[in-house]
Amino acid sequence: QVQLVESGGGLVQPGGSLRLSCVASGSILEIYDMGWYRQAPGQQRELVARIISGGTPTYLNSVQGRFTISRDYAKNRVNLQMNSLRPEDTAVYYCNVGLMDQMKKRQYYWGQGTQVTVSS
């Protein structure tokens, strides 16, 4: 079994910062990529940022230059540093991890989601 635990959401004023973290644990052989998606009410879930092992991070255009994704390989953790937050960044943020488990099965897992609200 694989578990993803997210933390770091909350309420922040426009222009503020938040840092999200997601830790993967359980029967993991190898993690291929880690990323963050978000879903606002009435909207489709969209990819915010993703980092593939050994690759260059990719970002949603609207967060480029404001958000930074980073990965701690030793701790199976992915972070999302969000600066200069805007009201339109308000959404539930989900961690997404692609991995191979100890049964050598490759699949993606989702975190439970963490609410980010940007409002004055």
Side-chain angles (χ1 to χ4, degrees), residues 2-117:
V2 174
Q3 300 83 36
L4 302 183
V5 178
E6 302 168 0
S7 60
L11 172 64
V12 65
Q13 292 186 344
S17 298
L18 283 175
R19 182 179 177 88
L20 306 182
S21 290
C22 172
V23 177
S25 63
S27 304
I28 299 171
L29 273 183
E30 182 178 358
I31 293 178
Y32 297 105
D33 65 287
M34 307 184 84
W36 291 91
Y37 287 72
R38 70 185 182 188
Q39 188 168 19
Q43 303 295 319
Q44 290 188 337
R45 192 171 295 189
E46 61 182 357
L47 175 64
V48 176
R50 175 163 293 281
I51 183 167
I52 297 174
S53 297
T56 302
T58 58
Y59 296 94
L60 180 69
N61 283 345
S62 63
V63 309
Q64 184 80 41
R66 300 188 296 121
F67 291 11
T68 302
I69 189 171
S70 61
R71 179 176 163 184
D72 184 332
Y73 287 80
K75 296 181 179 180
N76 288 343
R77 179 166 62 196
V78 61
N79 303 310
L80 185 68
Q81 178 65 43
M82 304 185 294
N83 299 328
S84 302
L85 282 160
R86 304 167 181 169
E88 54 264 37
D89 295 318
T90 296
V92 178
Y93 284 70
Y94 297 90
C95 175
N96 180 253
V97 176
L99 58 84
M100 177 180 287
D101 63 23
Q102 291 185 359
M103 299 300 291
K104 297 191 177 180
K105 181 178 180 181
R106 299 179 63 161
Q107 59 185 2
Y108 282 86
Y109 289 85
W110 289 95
Q112 79 280 7
T114 185
Q115 178 70 46
V116 171
T117 302

